[in-house]
Amino acid sequence: MVGGHLVRDNREPCGTAALHLPASAPRICRIVVFLDSCESAMPRSTPFPSTVPLYAVLLAAATAALPASAASPCALKSGPYRTPVLELFTSEGCSSCPPADRWLSMTFDAARPPINAVPLAFHVDYWDRLGWPDRFADRTYGERQNEVARRARSRTVYTPQFVFDGGDAGPGGIATRLAPLSQAAAGQAAERNITASIARQPDGSLRISGTSLANANGGPTVASHTFVALYQNALVSRIAAGENAGRLLRHDFVVRRFAGPFPSDGAGRSAFDVRWVSPTEFRPDEAGVAVFTEDAVTGRTLQAVAGPLCPGG
């Protein structure tokens, strides 16, 4: 036991973690303890500011074009300059997460000045055991978050966590750092050229296929991984249990399907061909596809592109 925090008991095998939580312990202060032999973690919640006073500064400085350049209504093609990925690891079971969810929605709202980044919200499942099962959560999203921690040689993960360009942006720090970091990337030549076709099948399923090719003007070719994400906006949940009991939560850029990694060959080429059955509560008019390629070692985004699904049926 570590004070009033949640800890994993080293005497127990993975998957059977015990909660040692004194009655006097604060409910939003949690710490994760990774075991060398474990891939899972107990949740830690880090407060995110309820209000972010730098919205105006952030959005006024973000003037780059939104990275959703589509060659046609059913195709995506990345641009000549680098676009990073902004990931939010969140959960409906975490009381500190709703402000971060709202910030992501407000910052990338279509009515706001565009920002040179592709936002994706990954709902992790390790909060589910504490009272409220998040229906958008998936174990693979927590595994992706664990990979971010491993790259940083950290033994902890937490929610809400923002990861920008493959690295932890720090609790609450993304509001001040996003604009300058994304603008800096907008001045760098893309290191990959991504093209993708999006086909909606008569049965409602989706097929996304394409390639990520090394750009001769983007510097030395490094080993890379390409990922494909199906995301959805305007999702609403009425929470009946857990830390957010009684609250109405709204979510945007929620990852509903995720595929990869698709590794590059010696020439820096990755190919992908993904077929998905539409998830429950799926609305094509509120959905989009993101494709991004990252450095296989550091996680840095080499290029990313996102756009809506094909209109119509």
Side-chain angles (χ1 to χ4, degrees):
M1 181 169 63
V2 182
H5 304 296
L6 294 177
V7 302
R8 182 180 292 280
D9 191 331
N10 289 358
R11 297 167 297 178
E12 298 175 355
C14 299
T16 60
L19 301 184
H20 301 288
L21 187 61
S24 60
R27 294 197 63 207
I28 65 169
C29 183
R30 293 183 167 82
I31 191 168
V32 176
V33 179
F34 275 107
L35 297 182
D36 292 340
S37 60
C38 295
E39 294 299 323
S40 59
M42 294 304 298
R44 171 191 173 193
S45 170
T46 299
F48 189 84
S50 298
T51 59
V52 181
L54 292 164
Y55 277 138
V57 176
L58 172 66
L59 295 170
T63 57
L66 187 68
S69 52
S72 74
C74 296
L76 293 176
K77 180 176 175 59
S78 60
Y81 298 101
R82 194 171 72 88
T83 297
V85 174
L86 175 64
E87 303 168 73
L88 168 61
F89 292 95
T90 184
S91 172
E92 290 186 339
C94 160
S95 62
S96 298
C97 288
D101 296 332
R102 288 194 298 270
W103 180 87
L104 190 72
S105 296
M106 292 179 64
T107 301
F108 289 90
D109 188 282
R112 303 279 187 172
I115 292 176
N116 180 49
V118 169
L120 294 171
F122 291 91
H123 285 232
V124 296
D125 71 344
Y126 51 77
W127 279 93
D128 290 1
R129 70 194 78 172
L130 298 182
W132 178 255
D134 188 333
R135 68 189 188 284
F136 306 124
D138 191 280
R139 178 171 295 276
T140 59
Y141 306 160
E143 292 170 355
R144 179 167 177 81
Q145 187 183 26
N146 288 348
E147 180 60 29
V148 172
R150 281 191 287 268
R151 287 199 300 259
R153 298 184 179 182
S154 171
R155 294 171 62 84
T156 65
V157 296
Y158 61 93
T159 58
Q161 181 186 23
F162 281 100
V163 174
F164 181 82
D165 217 3
D168 182 12
I174 191 62
T176 57
R177 298 176 60 203
L178 178 59
L181 288 174
S182 63
Q183 286 299 96
Q188 301 166 1
E191 298 176 47
R192 292 293 188 273
N193 295 319
I194 299 173
T195 57
S197 64
I198 306 169
R200 290 173 58 191
Q201 307 300 318
D203 63 358
S205 62
L206 298 170
R207 179 179 182 181
I208 300 102
S209 59
T211 58
S212 176
L213 305 176
N215 184 355
N217 298 322
T221 300
V222 298
S224 64
H225 290 154
T226 296
F227 296 86
V228 183
L230 175 68
Y231 64 87
Q232 187 172 346
N233 298 320
L235 289 163
V236 179
S237 296
R238 174 72 69 179
I239 310 302
E243 292 194 350
N244 290 314
R247 303 181 71 172
L248 183 68
L249 303 184
R250 303 177 186 275
H251 311 294
D252 294 302
F253 309 107
V254 177
V255 176
R256 305 299 312 277
R257 294 284 188 266
F258 193 58
F262 299 96
S264 61
D265 60 19
R269 179 183 186 274
S270 300
F272 52 90
D273 191 346
V274 178
R275 302 184 188 215
W276 284 317
V277 175
S278 297
T280 57
E281 303 179 54
F282 187 64
R283 289 184 52 188
D285 59 319
E286 293 287 358
V289 171
V291 182
F292 61 94
T293 301
E294 64 185 28
D295 186 305
V297 176
T298 67
R300 177 177 175 270
T301 308
L302 304 179
Q303 185 57 307
V305 63
L309 293 184
C310 312

